[in-house]
Amino acid sequence: MATGRTHRTATRSRGIPEATVARLPLYLRALTALSERSVPTVSSEELAAAAGVNSAKLRKDFSYLGSYGTRGVGYDVEYLVYQISRELGLTQDWPVVIVGIGNLGAALANYGGFASRGFRVAALIDADPAMAGKPVAGIPVQHTDELEKIIDDNGVSIGVIATPAGAAQQVCERLVAAGVTSILNFAPTVLSVPDGVDVRKVDLSIELQILAFHEQRKAGEEADAQADAVLAAEAAAAEKAGKGPDGDVPAVMPA
């Protein structure tokens, strides 16, 4: 079976925009759900709604894949699942190592969706000697001293960093030096990597802070709306009483 070292998808060489690449997993998730329900075809409008995008953007994205729906019929679900999976490189086995087996790393190791999406957790690695040999999700944890050998033995090109922030950069450098060219970073820090290495950062605290901003803005808008409603009610009451907006000048002067 091929590993991550032996194949690279042609996404960049085919000129597919990064924004489109970022939406392909959304389409694949929606299509997989349809496939599991034995739905044979789907319209661009239905699929766009399920993926959370507009249908014009979906059709544009699919045009980069060379995939066009049939008018009056829509898209073939199974063919699109295969086509997007192939474009994302998910029709092969991608061995992944997770470094840092604390609460977050253990939760990732126990996530059951890796295998069904083309990823295999090849190893769990931690710096704590007391963790060595302990099984997590049925996989024995190995010490960081073995990191380079583990990567080489398993042909790993994707690494997941779930360490504390202070250790993340050093772990990243070791991963890159050992041949890892793609990193998913859960550590709350920005990693410095050389050209040719892709990093995707997942920071839950930042996402929550962004949500807090939107909640604060909505609360402010609601308060402004309530204040406007009160002023409008007061103005209406004053007008009904035959007074001007200042309360002591008649709204309509006698002729």
Side-chain angles (χ1 to χ4, degrees):
M1 178 177 287
T3 68
R5 292 283 184 84
T6 61
H7 175 76
R8 287 285 182 184
T9 59
T11 298
R12 290 177 179 169
S13 63
R14 287 171 52 156
I16 299 178
E18 288 295 328
T20 295
V21 174
R23 287 189 289 269
L24 292 182
L26 303 180
Y27 301 141
L28 182 59
R29 180 174 61 189
L31 287 162
T32 300
L34 292 171
S35 176
E36 290 172 350
R37 294 183 354 235
S38 299
V39 176
T41 59
V42 62
S43 69
S44 58
E45 290 78 11
E46 291 168 334
L47 182 54
V53 304
N54 66 63
S55 57
K57 184 174 292 184
L58 178 143
R59 288 191 291 269
K60 180 67 172 177
D61 288 341
F62 284 2
S63 71
Y64 290 111
L65 306 180
S67 182
Y68 300 90
T70 303
R71 184 178 296 276
V73 177
Y75 294 94
D76 183 285
V77 170
E78 291 300 331
Y79 178 68
L80 268 185
V81 168
Y82 166 74
Q83 192 176 23
I84 294 176
S85 296
R86 182 184 61 183
E87 197 65 46
L88 290 172
L90 304 181
T91 55
Q92 61 177 328
D93 173 50
W94 291 98
V96 175
V97 296
I98 301 175
V99 185
I101 313 302
N103 291 334
L104 177 56
L108 292 171
N110 278 285
Y111 173 58
F114 284 126
S116 63
R117 289 166 173 80
F119 302 95
R120 171 175 57 86
V121 178
L124 306 177
I125 304 172
D126 198 272
D128 184 359
M131 289 288 295
K134 290 186 176 180
V136 174
I139 303 172
V141 176
Q142 301 180 68
H143 193 263
T144 48
D145 288 347
E146 304 295 320
L147 186 147
E148 288 79 7
K149 183 177 185 302
I150 292 167
I151 291 171
D152 185 61
D153 288 349
N154 291 277
V156 174
S157 59
I158 300 177
V160 178
I161 296 178
T163 67
Q169 183 61 45
Q170 183 182 13
V171 168
C172 173
E173 291 170 1
R174 288 183 64 186
L175 288 171
V176 171
V180 169
T181 51
S182 292
I183 294 173
L184 182 60
N185 178 33
F186 284 89
T189 187
V190 176
L191 299 176
S192 176
V193 297
D195 291 341
V197 176
D198 295 311
V199 176
R200 299 286 296 182
K201 180 167 175 53
V202 181
D203 194 319
L204 300 180
S205 64
I206 287 178
E207 298 303 324
L208 286 171
Q209 289 166 14
I210 292 171
L211 289 175
F213 165 80
H214 289 296
E215 285 300 312
Q216 177 177 257
R217 186 176 65 177
K218 285 185 286 188
E221 291 173 349
E222 184 177 344
D224 289 343
Q226 290 175 346
D228 290 344
V230 169
L231 290 174
E234 290 176 347
E239 184 175 353
K240 185 175 182 180
K243 298 181 179 180
D246 293 329
D248 50 8
V249 179
V252 179
M253 298 295 291

